[in-house]
Each structure stands twice: as structure tokens, then as C-alpha cells.
């Protein structure tokens, strides 16, 4: 017979956890229980930790499970409060090397950064939930709001998110990397808000392979994705993460993307690289107006890299389907392609963000989409707000959704905080960005002042070493802009992860590539190159050069030198990094990031930090635009205005940057 234990303090909770063996329910009186660490707690059957009163939730400021099994959290508030100095990837709630863990009917309540003097003020900070090395993890009927990233799952098996409300996120909603058996179903993911000027990329769902392995058995089904009153995002994104997609080990297998409704203002509605076995069917991938985006880049489409195998794309409503070039193992048909200018002929507008705060387009009976039975059934079956849809499917919404960037936190539900007692030792560690600093792994819309070219509206050619045909959908399918015709030798501009990526691989020679507009006033700069040099290339070389502002060069002896304008020694003085062996014929990624507000310079080579300088008074913002020079050894060049430094302290997830 199951046992119920009621506790009123953290001390009583710790005492109860030391005695239970399996099958018990621990009811928590309302209040803040501080920090909880469950190390090695492997119960024989499920132990439930639950608020005694669902209308007065118990809360935790930090929870870490390490080597635990058979634990359910029910009606709990996981409450993060921003503190000055916190990293944007701060992680207070984690599941590591654990199994059979459930979070249900709960609230992962993040916080907006404030008072930091950074461009991230007023936007989400921290990661809601970090899952690593674990199996059978379920997140059900739970709210995630006001985070940098909602939830991240790494190196795990059996992770499901069902019936959740994910909103007011600065960067990514749900991230999976090397996770098999993923289920994302019946979620409402909406209203993301980036940090102004920080160059954030945003993906509502991202499937990565940064750990060097693909994921198998992925189902993304019957979700509502809505830009709402927030910022544009990429919606469902399977990037290349810089991997060689001819390597079968990095391919994703057995993917189903079905029945989703997408309302967004970015090209990448459903974009997938490197997959063997995928079905994309009955999705509605629709455009909503995004004032800071222009041209084809804001019209969502469906794209699968044409090197993918065993592909089925049928009965979707979208603007374009790209990647199909007659491959014999592809089945593409019965998709209804509708331009936004034609929407009035095909949809009635049950709700729009401008008037209702959310978007809801209903297919007109007798229209081509209706006759083809195309698009998501959700679009026509849901009446009223999507929050009500969750409720009608048996999910209880914890609180009304807040809009992004409001600058206010949700109030603490708990009252009369209990005695904190003695908490178990903390096992959690702060987690790093899961790939944001990796050039060429993501796409983000460029700043509005950037001139757009045809390739901007094209899934990026620099994601991975693919053939040109595979990496870039046909240029003629996307609109040309006036800016293209003004460039004698136009470079290809794509948009990976928070950066403007300039692909110079198609140019006959390197040299002066001209100005990259919009960065002269930036107080943070990050640029990254992929470069290859052989042993016989013994001469000095400027890899990247922006006169009197930034420089990255190799000396005759092969040393790497970083140069940034500053108030101490000036631009002439640089920082020499020896013994890197960059003349080995291999391709290396070199990244330099600098922030003149915090006076920090960091250089990475192949994901490893080789320089972390904090003793110089850097001063480079506010100068005039200068031309950029690219060396002959450089294959790709990306630049952004977000210096997303790596934490150089010991971190179990540092391999994400390799």
C-alpha cells in the first residue's frame, strides 16, 4: 500500500527522502524549499514529490538529480531568480545520468535579466531544464517561460515533451542533441523574444548533432508554433552543425514531422539537413508579418537537404518545398503551395496577433487545401485560444502566458516560506551554450540594415561540407533583390546562428570583400573563420583584417596573433598564441570574440579556448565602416555582434564546442 508523507520544511523533506524506498508520495506545504539535490537516489518504484495544494505550489530555487531513478515532480514551481553575474546559460534544474524521471503539471519559471547594463536586459536568462545522459524522461503539462533556452536534452534515450506551454524564450525552446526516441507532441510554443542587439538566433525546436552523432526515432507531431506578438524564429530546425553529412554516423534516422501548425516570419519553417528516413506530412507552414524582415527571407517553407535519403513530403500547406531534385527515394506530392498574397483566397482569419495576440487561420471549405486534405487538422479543429486547446486535451495551464520582454517576473506562488533546513550538497553545474558560438551551425536573420541577397533567402551553403547543389536550394525559386545587381562579384550571404555568415568559398581569390554594414557601432564583436593551410605554406598571412579595428593573422612561424583596437597599446599590439600547429593541411575553425564593455577578448581554435584576455581596455565601437580583408587560406567567414564567451571553468559539457 502506498504511503503519503506531508512535509512543511526543507529539513523535513530531506528526512523523508532519506527514508522512502519506492511507492511513496511526499506532499509539500506551500513555500520555497530552496535547493534540492538527489544523488544516487534509485527507488524501487516511483516516488512522487507533489504540492499538497495545487493552488499554492511548493517551489524550489534549484534542483539537481544525478544518478537518480523513479522520481516524479507534480505541481511544483521551479523558480529561478536572476542574480547579477549569472551566465545567460545558467542552469539551476538538471537531470544527469538518471532514469524514469517525470515533471508534470508544473512550472519552470525563469527570469528576465535586469540591471546588468548589457543588451540582454529584459530578456530571459538561464536554461529551464538540462537533461544529460539519461533515459525515460517525461515532461508533461508544464510551463516554461522567461528563459534563455527552455529545455536541453543531450546524450539521452527516451525524452518526451507533451502538452506543454513554452513561451517568452530568448533563444531556443527545446533542444535535442544525440537523443534517441524523442517525442514532442501537443505543445504550444509561442511568443519568443530576443535580446535587442545581441544577435540571438531563435529556434522553437532544434535537433543538433554537435556531439558528433545523429538522433534516431524523432516524432514532432500536432504542435502549435506561433510567433504571436513576439519575434520571428526558425521553427523546426535540424542543422548540419558543421558535420560531414556523408558520414552515416551523424545522420538522423526515422523522423516524423506531422500535423503541426506553424505561424512565423522566418524562412526556416521546417528545415532539415542530413537525414535517412523522414516523413513530413500534413503540416501547415504559414507566414505572419514580421516588420524587421523583408523579402523571401520571411516566408516560411519546407526544406530537406537533397543528399537526404528515403524522404516523404506530402499534404503540407506551405509557400515552397525545396530540396527535391528527382531523387528516386523521395516521394513529394499533394502539397498545396500558397503565397502569403493569396491567403485571402484560402483562409479565414479566426485570430491574428495584431488583434488577438495569437494567429489562427482556418482553411476555407472547397479550397485547394481542403480538397487535397492538406495541412494540419489542428488548424480547423481548434476553436478559441490555444491555451483552451491545451485545457480541452486534459492539460491544466499553470498561469496565463506573459508576453516576451515585459521586464516583470511572475510572482512567487508559495507563501510563508518554510524553514530551509539543511539541503543536500549541490551536484549541478552551470551549462554552456549548446552551440551558439559554433559558426555555420545555425541560421539567424541578419540585422535589418544588412543588404539582402538571393542567398540570404536560401538555406545556408556553409552548414556543412556538401556539394553546392545539396546545400543551396535553387536560387531561381527565391526572389532577387536590388542589392544583388549592385555587386560586381557578390559574396553569398547566409545566416547561421546569431551571425552574418559570408561564404567566400565560391570566389576565385580572396582579398578585399568590402564593408559589412551595421557593425561599426557594435560594442561586442565575434567573427569566425574556417581555414586550411599546408605545411609548405610558411609565409605570414592575414586571415581576417579590418584596418585599425580587428585582425587575426598567422606569423611566418605559424603563431596565431589576435589584434583589437584598445586604449592601452593600441591596435599595433596583439596577442600571440603559439604551438597551435595550424599548418597541418586540416581545416580549423578559429573564432575571436571581444566585448569592450567587459573588456574581454577570447580566441577559440576548433572549439577550445586558447586565449582569454581580461586586462586590456578595449575600445573599437563608433569608428567608421572599413573594408574587410580575407586571406587565401580562409574558406568561410562569419561575423556577428554577440560575444558569447565560453566559461573556461571545468564543465562536463565542454565537448559541445569541439
Amino acid at each position: 500500500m502506498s504511503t503519503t508523507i506531508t512535509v512543511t520544511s526543507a529539513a523535513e523533506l530531506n528526512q523523508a527522502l532519506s527514508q522512502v524506498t519506492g511507492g511513496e508520495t511526499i506532499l509539500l506545504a506551500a513555500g520555497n524549499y530552496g535547493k534540492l539535490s538527489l544523488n544516487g537516489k534509485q527507488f524501487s518504484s516511483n516516488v512522487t514529490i507533489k504540492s499538497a495544494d495545487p493552488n499554492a505550489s511548493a517551489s524550489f530555487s534549484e534542483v539537481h538529480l544525478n544518478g537518480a531513478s523513479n522520481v516524479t515532480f507534480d505541481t511544483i514551481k521551479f523558480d529561478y531568480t536572476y542574480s547579477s553575474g549569472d551566465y545567460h546559460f545558467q542552469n539551476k534544474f538538471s537531470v544527469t545520468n538518471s532514469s524514469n524521471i517525470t515533471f508534470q503539471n508544473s512550472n519552470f519559471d525563469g527570469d528576465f535579466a535586469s540591471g546588468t547594463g548589457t543588451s540582454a536586459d529584459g530578456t530571459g536568462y538561464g536554461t529551464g531544464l538540462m537533461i544529460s545522459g539519461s533515459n525515460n524522461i517525461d515532461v508533461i503539462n508544464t510551463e516554461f517561460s522567461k528563459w534563455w533556452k527552455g529545455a536541453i536534452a543531450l546524450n539521452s534515450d527516451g525524452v518526451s515533451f507533451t502538452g506543454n506551454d513554452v513561451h517568452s524564450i530568448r533563444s531556443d525552446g527545446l533542444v535535442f542533441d544525440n537523443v534517441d526516441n524523442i517525442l514532442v507532441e501537443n505543445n504550444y510554443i509561442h511568443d519568443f523574444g530576443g535580446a535587442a542587439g545581441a544577435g540571438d538566433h531563435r529556434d522553437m525546436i532544434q535537433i543538433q548533432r554537435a556531439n558528433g552523432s545523429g538522433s534516431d526515432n524523432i516524432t514532432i507531431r500536432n504542435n502549435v508554433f506561433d510567433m504571436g506578438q513576439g519575434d520571428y524564429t526558425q521553427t523546426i530546425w535540424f542543422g548540419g552543425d558543421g558535420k560531414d553529412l556523408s558520414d552515416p554516423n551523424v545522420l538522423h534516422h526515422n523522423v516524423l514531422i506531422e500535423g503541426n501548425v506553424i505561424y512565423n516570419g522566418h524562412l526556416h519553417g521546417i528545415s532539415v539537413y542530413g537525414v535517412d528516413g523522414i516523413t513530413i506530412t500534413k503540416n501547415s507552414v504559414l507566414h505572419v508579418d514580421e516588420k524587421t524582415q523583408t523579402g523571401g527571407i520571411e516566408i516560411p517553407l519546407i526544406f530537406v537537404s537533397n543528399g537526404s535519403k528515403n524522404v516523404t513530403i506530402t499534404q503540407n500547406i506551405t509557400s515552397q518545398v525545396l530540396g527535391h531534385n528527382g531523387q528516386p527515394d523521395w516521394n513529394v506530392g499533394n502539397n498545396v503551395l500558397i503565397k502569403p498574397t493569396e491567403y485571402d483566397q484560402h483562409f479565414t482569419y479566426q485570430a491574428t496577433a495584431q488583434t488577438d495576440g495569437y494567429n489562427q487561420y482556418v482553411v476555407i471549405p472547397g479550397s485547394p487545401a481542403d480538397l487535397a486534405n492538406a495541412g494540419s487538422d489542428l488548424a480547423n479543429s481548434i476553436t478559441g485560444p490555444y491555451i483552451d486547446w491545451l485545457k480541452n486535451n486534459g492539460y491544466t495551464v499553470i498561469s496565463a502566458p506573459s508576453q516576451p520582454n515585459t521586464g516583470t517576473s511572475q510572482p512567487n506562488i508559495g507563501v510563508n516560506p518554510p524553514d530551509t533546513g539543511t539541503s543536500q550538497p549541490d551536484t549541478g553545474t552551470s551549462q554552456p551554450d549548446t552551440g551558439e558560438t559554433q559558426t555555420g551551425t545555425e541560421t539567424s536573420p541578419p540585422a535589418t540594415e544588412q543588404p539582402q541577397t538571393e542567398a540570404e533567402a536560401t538555406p545556408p551553403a556553409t552548414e556543412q561540407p556538401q556539394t553546392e547543389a545539396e546545400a543551396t536550394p535553387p536560387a531561381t525559386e527565391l526572389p532577387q533583390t536590388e542589392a544583388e545587381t549592385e555587386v560586381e562579384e557578390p559574396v553569398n550571404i547566409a545566416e547561421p546562428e546569431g551571425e552574418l555568415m559570408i561564404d567566400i568559398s565560391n570566389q576565385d581569390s580572396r582579398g578585399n570583400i568590402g564593408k559589412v554594414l551595421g557593425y561599426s557601432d557594435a560594442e561586442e564583436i565575434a567573427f569566425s573563420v574556417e581555414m586550411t593551410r599546408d605545411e609548405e605554406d610558411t609565409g605570414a598571412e592575414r586571415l581576417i583584417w579590418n584596418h585599425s579595428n580587428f585582425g587575426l593573422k598567422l606569423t611566418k612561424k605559424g603563431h596565431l596573433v589576435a589584434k583589437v583596437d584598445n586604449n592601452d597599446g593600441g591596435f599595433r599590439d596583439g596577442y600571440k598564441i603559439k604551438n597551435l600547429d595550424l599548418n597541418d593541411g586540416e581545416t580549423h575553425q578559429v573564432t575571436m570574440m571581444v566585448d569592450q564593455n567587459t573588456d574581454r577578448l577570447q580566441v577559440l581554435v576548433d572549439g577550445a579556448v586558447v586565449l582569454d584576455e581580461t586586462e586590456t581596455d578595449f575600445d573599437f565601437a563608433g569608428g567608421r565602416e572599413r573594408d574587410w580583408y580575407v586571406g587565401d587560406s580562409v574558406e568561410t567567414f562569419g561575423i556577428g555582434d554577440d560575444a558569447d564567451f565560453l566559461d573556461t571553468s571545468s564543465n562536463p559539457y565542454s565537448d559541445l564546442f569541439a
Side-chain angles (χ1 to χ4, degrees), residues 478-639:
L478 295 171
Q480 295 185 347
T481 66
E482 181 179 347
E484 305 179 2
T485 61
E486 298 175 354
V487 183
E488 292 184 11
E489 287 188 307
V491 296
N492 290 333
I493 299 179
E495 332 132 1
E497 198 165 351
E499 299 173 347
L500 180 68
M501 170 62 72
I502 302 175
D503 176 16
I504 41 76
S505 59
N506 66 330
Q507 296 188 171
D508 294 334
S509 63
R510 307 298 186 260
N512 190 329
I513 64 170
K515 297 177 176 62
V516 181
L517 302 178
Y519 290 92
S520 62
D521 292 328
E523 296 178 341
E524 299 178 51
I525 284 288
F527 61 80
S528 187
V529 300
E530 287 185 342
M531 50 82 63
T532 306
R533 272 173 60 106
D534 294 324
E535 292 182 4
E536 59 269 22
D537 296 335
T538 57
E541 180 181 358
R542 292 178 174 179
L543 299 175
I544 292 295
W545 208 259
N546 186 249
H547 182 66
S548 298
N549 291 323
F550 311 101
L552 196 63
K553 71 175 186 178
L554 291 174
T555 69
K556 291 182 179 180
K557 295 183 179 181
H559 304 319
L560 183 67
V561 179
K563 297 166 106 27
V564 180
D565 195 14
N566 62 83
N567 293 321
D568 295 336
F571 180 75
R572 289 188 302 173
D573 291 345
Y575 302 89
K576 185 181 294 184
I577 308 152
K578 301 180 179 180
N579 303 319
L580 292 177
D581 193 23
L582 297 179
N583 288 37
D584 58 0
E586 300 292 331
T587 298
H588 297 280
Q589 184 182 67
V590 183
T591 301
M592 188 170 93
M593 300 176 285
V594 60
D595 184 339
Q596 77 172 29
N597 290 319
T598 61
D599 288 323
R600 186 176 186 183
L601 166 67
Q602 197 172 78
V603 177
L604 288 71
V605 174
D606 296 330
V609 177
V610 297
L611 174 69
D612 200 353
E613 166 61 31
T614 59
E615 301 298 325
T616 302
D617 181 14
F618 294 110
D619 184 12
F620 49 83
R624 63 188 180 91
E625 298 280 3
R626 296 181 181 275
D627 289 352
W628 288 82
Y629 175 92
V630 179
D632 289 339
S633 298
V634 176
E635 297 172 5
T636 62
F637 166 46
I639 183 171

Side-chain angles (χ1 to χ4, degrees), residues 7-14 17 28-38 49 57-65 73 76-81 91-94 107-108 412 414-427:
V7 303
T8 61
S9 70
E12 291 180 6
L13 173 59
N14 285 331
L17 288 169
L28 308 182
N32 189 336
Y33 285 75
K35 177 179 175 180
L36 174 67
S37 295
L38 295 180
I49 301 172
S57 298
S59 66
F60 292 93
S61 59
E62 193 164 352
V63 174
H64 300 285
L65 282 69
F73 292 91
I76 299 295
K77 184 176 183 181
F78 301 92
D79 191 9
Y80 165 68
T81 301
N91 174 234
K92 298 293 186 179
F93 307 105
S94 66
N107 184 4
F108 283 84
N412 191 330
V415 295
N416 298 324
D419 175 22
T420 58
T422 303
S423 300
Q424 299 178 15
D426 175 26
T427 62

Side-chain angles (χ1 to χ4, degrees), residues 224-337:
V224 174
F225 303 91
D226 188 6
M227 187 177 81
Q229 294 181 321
D231 294 331
Y232 60 78
T233 72
Q234 297 177 168
T235 308
I236 300 175
W237 171 252
F238 291 55
D241 297 306
K243 305 304 179 185
D244 179 2
L245 297 186
S246 66
D247 179 358
N249 293 320
V250 304
L251 296 181
H252 303 303
H253 297 86
N254 191 23
V255 178
L256 174 64
I257 303 175
E258 178 182 29
N260 301 284
V261 180
I262 294 172
Y263 302 101
N264 223 319
H266 189 277
L267 175 81
H268 294 296
I270 300 174
S271 291
V272 178
Y273 284 87
V275 64
D276 185 353
I278 182 171
T279 296
I280 301 175
T281 186
K282 288 188 67 63
N283 300 281
S284 297
V285 183
L286 304 177
H287 168 259
V288 292
D289 192 30
E290 169 49 55
K291 296 302 183 183
T292 62
Q293 293 284 85
T294 59
I297 196 171
E298 68 170 316
I299 314 300
L301 53 76
I302 296 173
F303 167 75
V304 178
S305 64
N306 67 11
S308 296
K309 304 175 182 178
N310 301 309
V311 177
T312 296
I313 307 175
T314 60
Q315 292 183 283
N316 301 281
I317 301 174
T318 186
S319 62
Q320 298 184 80
V321 176
L322 300 182
H324 182 223
N325 295 311
Q327 300 93 325
D329 57 349
W330 283 47
N331 173 26
V332 179
N334 296 321
N335 299 290
V336 178
L337 306 182

Side-chain angles (χ1 to χ4, degrees), residues 82 283 300 335 350 388 518 571 650:
Y82 172 81
N283 300 281
N335 299 290
Q350 184 166 304
D388 292 342
F571 180 75
S650 176

Side-chain angles (χ1 to χ4, degrees), residues 165-177:
D165 179 18
V166 181
H167 65 94
S168 307
I169 304 297
R170 170 181 166 184
S171 180
D172 295 339
L174 306 178
V175 179
F176 302 89
D177 192 333

Side-chain angles (χ1 to χ4, degrees), residues 60-377:
F60 292 93
S61 59
E62 193 164 352
V63 174
H64 300 285
L65 282 69
N66 190 356
S69 63
N70 297 318
V71 180
T72 292
F73 292 91
D74 192 346
T75 327
I76 299 295
K77 184 176 183 181
F78 301 92
D79 191 9
Y80 165 68
T81 301
Y82 172 81
S83 296
S84 180
D86 281 359
Y87 295 109
H88 66 275
F89 51 77
Q90 201 78 34
N91 174 234
K92 298 293 186 179
F93 307 105
S94 66
V95 177
T96 306
N97 300 324
S98 298
S99 62
N100 303 324
I101 308 297
T102 298
F103 300 89
Q104 63 186 24
N105 310 316
S106 294
N107 184 4
F108 283 84
D109 186 17
D111 198 5
F112 295 127
S114 59
T116 63
T118 73
S119 61
D121 285 1
T123 55
Y125 243 53
T127 299
L129 176 62
M130 172 66 76
I131 302 166
S132 178
S134 299
N135 59 80
N136 299 329
I137 310 299
D138 296 321
V139 183
I140 306 166
N141 187 24
T142 290
E143 182 177 6
F144 290 80
S145 65
K146 297 175 297 187
W147 296 101
W148 171 62
K149 296 193 178 185
I152 301 172
L154 311 170
N155 306 323
S156 297
D157 189 348
V159 178
S160 69
F161 284 80
T162 57
N164 302 292
D165 179 18
V166 181
H167 65 94
S168 307
I169 304 297
R170 170 181 166 184
S171 180
D172 295 339
L174 306 178
V175 179
F176 302 89
D177 192 333
N178 189 27
V179 178
D180 293 338
N181 301 302
I182 299 169
L183 174 63
V184 180
E185 186 171 33
N186 290 342
N187 300 282
Y188 180 27
I189 305 178
H190 61 107
D191 291 281
F192 284 26
D200 287 313
H201 79 283
R202 293 173 292 279
D203 305 297
M204 289 187 167
I205 292 181
Q206 179 180 181
I207 310 294
Q208 289 190 310
R209 61 192 107 216
N211 273 315
S213 175
S215 298
D216 295 343
N217 306 324
I218 304 168
T219 298
I220 302 173
R221 180 171 55 207
N222 294 345
N223 303 281
V224 174
F225 303 91
D226 188 6
M227 187 177 81
Q229 294 181 321
D231 294 331
Y232 60 78
T233 72
Q234 297 177 168
T235 308
I236 300 175
W237 171 252
F238 291 55
D241 297 306
K243 305 304 179 185
D244 179 2
L245 297 186
S246 66
D247 179 358
N249 293 320
V250 304
L251 296 181
H252 303 303
H253 297 86
N254 191 23
V255 178
L256 174 64
I257 303 175
E258 178 182 29
N260 301 284
V261 180
I262 294 172
Y263 302 101
N264 223 319
H266 189 277
L267 175 81
H268 294 296
I270 300 174
S271 291
V272 178
Y273 284 87
V275 64
D276 185 353
I278 182 171
T279 296
I280 301 175
T281 186
K282 288 188 67 63
N283 300 281
S284 297
V285 183
L286 304 177
H287 168 259
V288 292
D289 192 30
E290 169 49 55
K291 296 302 183 183
T292 62
Q293 293 284 85
T294 59
I297 196 171
E298 68 170 316
I299 314 300
L301 53 76
I302 296 173
F303 167 75
V304 178
S305 64
N306 67 11
S308 296
K309 304 175 182 178
N310 301 309
V311 177
T312 296
I313 307 175
T314 60
Q315 292 183 283
N316 301 281
I317 301 174
T318 186
S319 62
Q320 298 184 80
V321 176
L322 300 182
H324 182 223
N325 295 311
Q327 300 93 325
D329 57 349
W330 283 47
N331 173 26
V332 179
N334 296 321
N335 299 290
V336 178
L337 306 182
I338 305 174
K339 299 177 181 178
T341 55
E342 303 167 339
Y343 280 5
D344 288 348
Q345 305 169 39
H346 298 272
F347 303 106
T348 57
Y349 304 104
Q350 184 166 304
T352 63
Q354 290 84 353
T355 59
D356 304 287
Y358 65 100
N359 296 287
Q360 197 161 352
Y361 301 173
V362 177
V363 173
I364 295 174
S367 67
D370 179 49
L371 296 175
N373 192 25
S376 172
D377 294 335

